[in-house]
Amino acid sequence: MSLALAPLDVSVEIEANLPCRKFDPDLWFSDSPAQLELAKSLCGDCPLRVECLAGAVERNEPWGVWGGEIFERGAVVPRKRPRGRPRKVDVARDAELAHEVEERLAANGLDSRNAVRLAA
């Protein structure tokens, strides 16, 4: 008697190796700036990072980490700020990070002026 094996579903295998499937999903929707930075770093090597980011932009995701970027109120933000008034150094760093986000979006073929609203 011969047993026929079903073909391996490659999409299932890839999905199992995605960081957002391997780790706690709450990490990608945390209120903690440190946890969001961790989620962003985990997205770095993801094979679906660009597609994930493009899908989030299309859907106007209200919040969370998508494609290695943080979305807050439908806008891409360079980093999540802790509560309270920001220090002057943080404001200057945010301006630099906003520029880096624009460069990353452009590198992924997304024009930030038309596709994504960047939060100041």
Side-chain angles (χ1 to χ4, degrees), residues 33-80:
Q35 288 185 342
L36 291 176
E37 290 301 320
L38 174 60
K40 280 175 56 174
S41 69
L42 292 172
C43 290
D45 295 330
C46 180
L48 299 178
R49 187 178 55 81
V50 174
E51 292 85 352
C52 178
L53 178 60
V57 169
E58 274 182 38
R59 292 186 306 272
N60 293 322
E61 284 293 340
W63 63 295
V65 174
W66 298 91
E69 300 294 341
I70 299 173
F71 283 75
E72 187 172 303
R73 296 185 188 111
V76 174
V77 295
R79 69 181 182 88
K80 172 94 173 170

Side-chain angles (χ1 to χ4, degrees), residues 10-117:
V10 177
S11 65
V12 171
E13 185 178 320
I14 290 174
E15 203 170 294
N17 290 323
L18 299 177
C20 56
R21 301 286 193 244
K22 288 167 55 173
F23 296 94
D24 182 9
D26 290 340
L27 182 64
W28 276 259
F29 298 98
S30 175
D31 286 330
S32 164
Q35 288 185 342
L36 291 176
E37 290 301 320
L38 174 60
K40 280 175 56 174
S41 69
L42 292 172
C43 290
D45 295 330
C46 180
L48 299 178
R49 187 178 55 81
V50 174
E51 292 85 352
C52 178
L53 178 60
V57 169
E58 274 182 38
R59 292 186 306 272
N60 293 322
E61 284 293 340
W63 63 295
V65 174
W66 298 91
E69 300 294 341
I70 299 173
F71 283 75
E72 187 172 303
R73 296 185 188 111
V76 174
V77 295
R79 69 181 182 88
K80 172 94 173 170
R81 290 185 194 168
R83 290 183 174 185
R85 186 175 182 166
R87 295 181 296 197
K88 290 180 182 178
V89 255
D90 290 340
V91 173
R93 187 174 69 182
D94 284 349
E96 290 176 22
L97 290 172
H99 180 70
E100 288 179 26
V101 167
E102 285 189 37
E103 288 177 352
R104 287 196 305 263
L105 289 171
N108 289 317
L110 298 170
D111 182 15
S112 63
R113 290 182 209 119
N114 295 330
V116 177
R117 182 175 56 96

